[in-house]
Amino acid sequence: MIRYAITRLALALPTIVIALFLIFALIRLIPGDPAQLILGETDDPAALARIRAELALDQPLAVQFYHWVTALGQGDFGKSISMESPVLDLLVPAMGVTASLVIPAVVLAAIMAVPLGMFAAWRQNTRTDTVVVALATVSLSIPSFWLGLMLLLLFGVQLDIFPVVGYISLTEDFAQGLHYLVLPVLTLALIEAGVLVRLARASTIEVLQLEYVAHARAKGLSESAVACRHVLPNVIGPTWIMIGLVLGGLLGGAVVIETVFSLPGLGRLMVEAVFARDYPVVQGCMVIVMLCYVGVNLMIELTAPVVCPALRYD
């Protein structure tokens, strides 16, 4: 286990370096000159050359990449072109909003999906199983923006239970902040629960066919004891890994939900920066998303043997 952990940590470093290079290269492919954007419509070659020198845009790409990575290592993500403030000052609150949306959504999806998937597997090829699979398929097929709008229409407009637009930070007013997060969290949870239900069902069906489950039943154990002691621990493993993939993907892919519910999260910040050709902010958002994705998946891989002992690594 220790050797595996050290190997995974060592492999994460070149993965991060390669990802940083790809981010740097892709940003340079976006049309537009950052120096010209800062200067505006003024046509002043001397001023343009001065700004390009300040941003090191007149240096070779290899030198630019070195300076950028060195600055990132010191916590300097650059300065926003459109908002004229340090990029890190924009990323920290946006990341907090996205995390407060994504993490509860994934936890809620797992709490709903794992028992439902196991229950469907226990009733395999029955009407109950068919209904659960159909609901999971519908959940996977529904566009997230449509579901969000329908929840807003029902609970925000018609029933007037939750606010329709706006956001209050949890640090500013925790109770009111939760009130604003209920619908977006529920939307994401319902969308992501579909894949987790299907995975939990498939894993449970596979485990139920193993010999030790038959032996446990032959000893006279109740179905609830078989489920809790023998089936659930082995179902949690694959589901735990999928939860990591879902969580890492949502950290950078919640832009649709953030837009529907007017949440100032990381995805919405990145989209606005792309439209504004604000390269430092776009780079910063992509770096944060990449680091979160690598970090979450590394954490999931290292903790999987603890969560599910059957996944022990030699």
Side-chain angles (χ1 to χ4, degrees):
M1 176 61 188
I2 296 178
R3 181 183 301 176
Y4 175 81
I6 294 175
T7 302
R8 292 302 304 157
L9 289 171
L11 290 176
L13 293 177
T15 301
I16 292 174
V17 173
I18 294 172
L20 288 175
F21 175 77
L22 292 176
I23 291 172
F24 177 84
L26 290 174
I27 291 297
R28 295 306 182 276
L29 296 178
I30 299 178
D33 186 352
Q36 186 64 58
L37 289 174
I38 296 175
L39 194 60
E41 298 181 358
T42 305
D43 188 11
D44 187 346
L48 184 63
R50 176 178 56 80
I51 295 175
R52 290 182 61 84
E54 292 176 357
L55 297 177
L57 296 176
D58 57 344
Q59 301 291 329
L61 291 179
V63 176
Q64 293 184 41
F65 179 71
Y66 171 77
H67 287 309
W68 179 58
V69 172
T70 303
L72 286 179
Q74 299 173 354
D76 182 10
F77 283 73
K79 186 176 181 180
S80 170
I81 296 174
S82 60
M83 288 169 267
E84 298 184 352
S85 61
V87 173
L88 193 59
D89 292 346
L90 302 173
L91 293 177
V92 171
M95 189 61 201
V97 174
T98 300
S100 65
L101 167 65
V102 169
I103 295 176
V106 174
V107 172
L108 179 60
I111 292 175
M112 294 188 300
V114 174
L116 195 58
M118 292 182 62
F119 181 72
W122 234 274
R123 302 290 191 273
Q124 186 181 8
N125 298 328
T126 65
R127 183 176 300 178
T128 301
D129 181 31
T130 303
V131 171
V132 172
V133 172
L135 290 176
T137 304
V138 170
S139 172
L140 289 170
S141 306
I142 294 178
S144 58
F145 72 89
W146 183 86
L147 180 59
L149 290 174
M150 292 301 102
L151 292 179
L152 275 177
L153 180 62
L154 176 61
F155 295 102
V157 177
Q158 295 184 356
L159 299 180
D160 195 21
I161 299 176
F162 299 104
V164 177
V165 294
Y167 173 76
I168 296 178
S169 174
L170 294 175
T171 57
E172 180 181 346
D173 188 334
F174 187 78
Q176 193 67 15
L178 286 179
H179 199 57
Y180 277 88
L181 285 174
V182 169
L183 289 184
V185 167
L186 181 61
T187 302
L188 274 183
L190 291 176
I191 293 296
E192 299 302 329
V195 63
L196 295 179
V197 165
R198 294 172 67 93
L199 179 62
R201 176 183 177 275
S203 300
T204 302
I205 291 175
E206 183 178 355
V207 172
L208 288 175
Q209 296 174 351
L210 299 179
E211 292 184 0
Y212 71 84
V213 174
H215 292 165
R217 284 171 169 168
K219 291 179 181 179
L221 291 179
S222 63
E223 289 298 302
S224 60
V226 171
C228 296
R229 298 181 191 177
H230 300 283
V231 178
L232 180 60
N234 292 282
V235 171
I236 287 295
T239 307
W240 180 251
I241 295 175
M242 179 57 68
I243 288 173
L245 295 175
V246 169
L247 179 58
L250 283 180
L251 285 171
V255 57
V256 174
I257 299 301
E258 291 173 358
T259 302
V260 170
F261 291 93
S262 301
L263 299 178
L266 190 65
R268 185 178 176 187
L269 175 64
M270 182 162 58
V271 171
E272 292 176 351
V274 169
F275 283 115
R277 297 294 191 272
D278 198 334
Y279 301 141
V281 176
V282 176
Q283 284 185 153
C285 291
M286 295 178 69
V287 169
I288 293 296
V289 170
M290 179 271 296
L291 292 177
C292 288
Y293 195 88
V294 173
V296 166
N297 283 277
L298 183 61
M299 179 193 68
I300 291 296
E301 289 188 17
L302 295 180
T303 57
V306 179
V307 175
C308 180
L311 294 178
R312 288 191 299 267
Y313 303 111
D314 297 327

